[in-house]
Amino acid sequence: MSRSASEKHEPTLARRSFLSRSAKMGVATGALAASNPVWQALATADDGKPPKRVLLRSSWQTVNIGDIAHTPGVLSILRDHLPDVEVTLWPSNVDHGVEELLRKEFPKLKIAKPRSEALKQAFRECDFLLHGSGASIVAERDLVKWREETGKPYGIYGITFPLKKSSATSARNGDAMDRSVDVLNHARFVFFRDSKSLELARSLGASAPVMEFGPDGAFACDLRDEPAADRFLAENQLEPQKFLCCIPRLRYTPYWTIKPNVKFDPIKHARNEAMKEHDHAQLREAIVQIVRKTDRKVLVCPEDRTQMAVGKEMLIDRLPKDVLSRVVWRPNYWLTGEAVSVYMKSAGLFGNEMHSPIMCIGHGIPAIVCRFEEQTSKGYMWEDIGLGDWLFDLDSETDRNRIVPTVLQMANDLDAAKAKADEARRFVEKRQRETMAVLRKELASVS
């Protein structure tokens, strides 16, 4: 998925080149397009008709590089496969420099913020609403609003559909699930990012015309910040391919430590405290084994703003002294571009998070996922893309005992690990092409 700017826009360039050659040859573009379905879409983009317009509902928050990655990932997929579609982003949040990152990478992107005149205009002009990847139907109410106010179609792209949301301590009631199923049923398509979500939706009566496995949009996130990554690696004496990344995570993200409007939750805090040693002991031992048995270092880094402190407490501060000299702790948060650039220079990643592994696999970098019940079923996407051997359930003693040897094997046989990651990447890209074909068909049917 890592492509140069010229390669990213190859379809547009190809169309222009095709039209130019056709004119020089005195051949009617329409005739050629009619005889060649591949060029048909390219040729008709300049037929004077207005472009199809998609309103992307995404960008849920900016305190997590995974939540940030959903949006540029889906935008990249749209740009690569539907280059003539005009996209407007309807975000929840693009602060902390994220809006600037998106505008730099996608200069033609329109952004319609909540309650703005631009959003009202998008409701009038856009042909289709696409709900981006997330931990649930994040913007469920907005899909209902779109349907009721415009009567236009919508689709859902790369979500988990859980009985209990990852931020909740109890399951949703039957009425709430029924409302969600109704939203699924009114969609033109729903792509679930893990097959267990698809199974649950079907068992509850969901029956959208298309319901299939569709990868999380973050697999296609190609944001980069090479200068920042190079500076960080140089400052910490980390050489490309000579280190692995490790990401800690508590059962519940303690948002009350980073968001002033979030109240302290004693139930979540108690669960975190009870499980934090259990959930990090194997990661810590893997770090020890990597340092003692290989020539590689380990970088302990965050996926969200709470995890620097978790990494310090549960990993760094509890490591043997002889190991610490070859372990680097990142004390500050980073944005997605710098993180992706660092991951791509690493030998692989392991830990308790999901979206950093997703971004790694999207670029063919090996990544091991440790999950637990509170994370819903999203981790099972590793089985769906052929990486079941790299998925571990921390609530299973058998799985926990296999974490350290698997991490060590990845570190010792990087060629085999990269080949496995690359195979998963190719499968994901295949599904991206197939899902975009579904969207292309839906847009073609819009009058």
Side-chain angles (χ1 to χ4, degrees), residues 395-411:
D395 295 317
S396 162
E397 193 65 23
T398 301
D399 274 15
R400 289 180 73 247
N401 291 335
R402 294 191 300 111
I403 293 172
V404 175
T406 304
V407 173
L408 200 57
Q409 181 182 25
M410 183 176 76

Side-chain angles (χ1 to χ4, degrees), residues 25 53 57 61-62 110 134 172 177 182 209 219 250 270 278 309 326 334 354 359 368 397 408 427 440:
M25 295 168 59
R53 296 184 173 94
R57 183 68 178 93
Q61 60 177 353
T62 61
K110 296 180 179 180
R172 304 174 73 209
M177 294 303 294
D182 184 66
F219 279 104
L250 300 174
H278 173 276
R326 290 176 52 207
W334 49 6
M354 190 76 248
M359 288 183 276
I368 288 170
E397 193 65 23
L408 200 57
F427 174 76
R440 183 185 299 111

Side-chain angles (χ1 to χ4, degrees), residues 104-391:
K104 181 179 179 181
E105 177 70 10
F106 305 96
K108 294 183 179 180
L109 178 67
K110 296 180 179 180
I111 298 180
K113 295 181 180 179
R115 297 175 295 279
S116 67
E117 186 58 40
L119 183 58
K120 294 178 182 178
Q121 182 177 351
F123 265 54
R124 293 192 299 269
E125 296 182 351
C126 288
D127 303 295
F128 193 94
L129 189 149
L130 184 65
H131 183 293
S133 295
S136 62
I137 313 175
V138 183
E140 184 174 303
R141 293 178 181 177
D142 293 329
L143 295 183
V144 174
K145 175 182 173 71
W146 168 266
R147 185 183 81 226
E148 292 179 346
E149 291 189 9
T150 72
K152 299 174 187 177
Y154 64 84
I156 302 173
Y157 197 83
I159 64 161
T160 290
F161 187 66
L163 281 172
K164 182 172 77 69
K165 294 184 178 182
S166 59
S167 60
T169 55
S170 59
R172 304 174 73 209
N173 62 39
D175 288 343
M177 294 303 294
D178 287 344
R179 288 193 297 270
S180 294
V181 169
D182 184 66
V183 170
L184 296 179
N185 287 343
H186 280 88
R188 296 304 305 157
F189 58 77
V190 184
F191 291 110
F192 299 90
R193 64 185 184 180
D194 64 272
S195 56
K196 291 189 181 297
S197 289
L198 174 57
E199 292 170 5
L200 175 62
R202 284 175 173 163
S203 73
L204 294 175
S207 57
V210 176
M211 296 202 309
E212 300 172 355
F213 167 74
D216 189 304
F219 279 104
C221 176
D222 200 25
L223 292 182
R224 306 285 187 83
D225 191 342
E226 297 292 334
D230 289 341
R231 284 194 302 271
F232 176 76
L233 296 184
E235 290 168 358
N236 291 279
Q237 299 180 321
L238 292 172
E239 301 176 44
Q241 309 300 309
K242 291 293 185 179
F243 69 97
L244 287 91
C245 299
C246 178
I247 299 185
R249 178 188 165 89
L250 300 174
R251 294 269 166 151
Y252 291 101
T253 302
Y255 285 117
W256 55 87
T257 65
I258 58 171
K259 291 184 176 182
N261 62 326
V262 176
K263 294 181 179 180
F264 174 76
D265 190 316
I267 296 176
K268 292 179 180 179
H269 177 69
R271 179 64 171 165
N272 286 345
E273 290 296 302
M275 300 304 295
K276 64 183 183 181
E277 172 60 21
H278 173 276
D279 293 342
H280 292 89
Q282 298 302 315
L283 300 185
R284 201 164 56 238
E285 182 58 25
I287 293 173
V288 171
Q289 295 299 318
I290 289 170
V291 170
R292 289 178 176 171
K293 295 183 178 181
T294 79
D295 62 351
R296 305 189 194 280
K297 295 183 178 181
V298 177
L299 167 63
V300 176
C301 53
E303 186 166 302
D304 74 34
R305 290 180 180 271
T306 71
Q307 290 168 353
M308 294 85 74
V310 179
K312 180 72 162 56
E313 177 191 1
M314 300 311 303
L315 300 177
I316 299 297
D317 289 350
R318 304 188 186 201
L319 287 172
K321 290 183 179 180
D322 68 296
V323 170
L324 279 172
S325 63
R326 290 176 52 207
V327 179
V328 174
W329 170 61
R330 184 178 175 100
N332 56 305
Y333 184 61
W334 49 6
L335 288 183
T336 311
E338 182 181 358
V340 170
S341 295
V342 168
Y343 296 158
M344 291 184 66
K345 297 176 189 295
S346 76
L349 181 147
F350 62 100
N352 296 348
E353 269 291 5
M354 190 76 248
H355 281 86
S356 288
I358 285 173
M359 288 183 276
C360 283
I361 295 300
H363 292 281
I365 303 300
I368 288 170
V369 172
C370 300
R371 66 168 301 278
F372 34 72
E373 180 186 3
E374 287 81 356
Q375 285 181 309
T376 70
S377 60
K378 65 181 179 181
Y380 290 105
M381 72 175 76
W382 245 226
E383 295 180 348
D384 297 320
I385 65 172
L387 297 178
D389 290 345
W390 285 353
L391 174 65

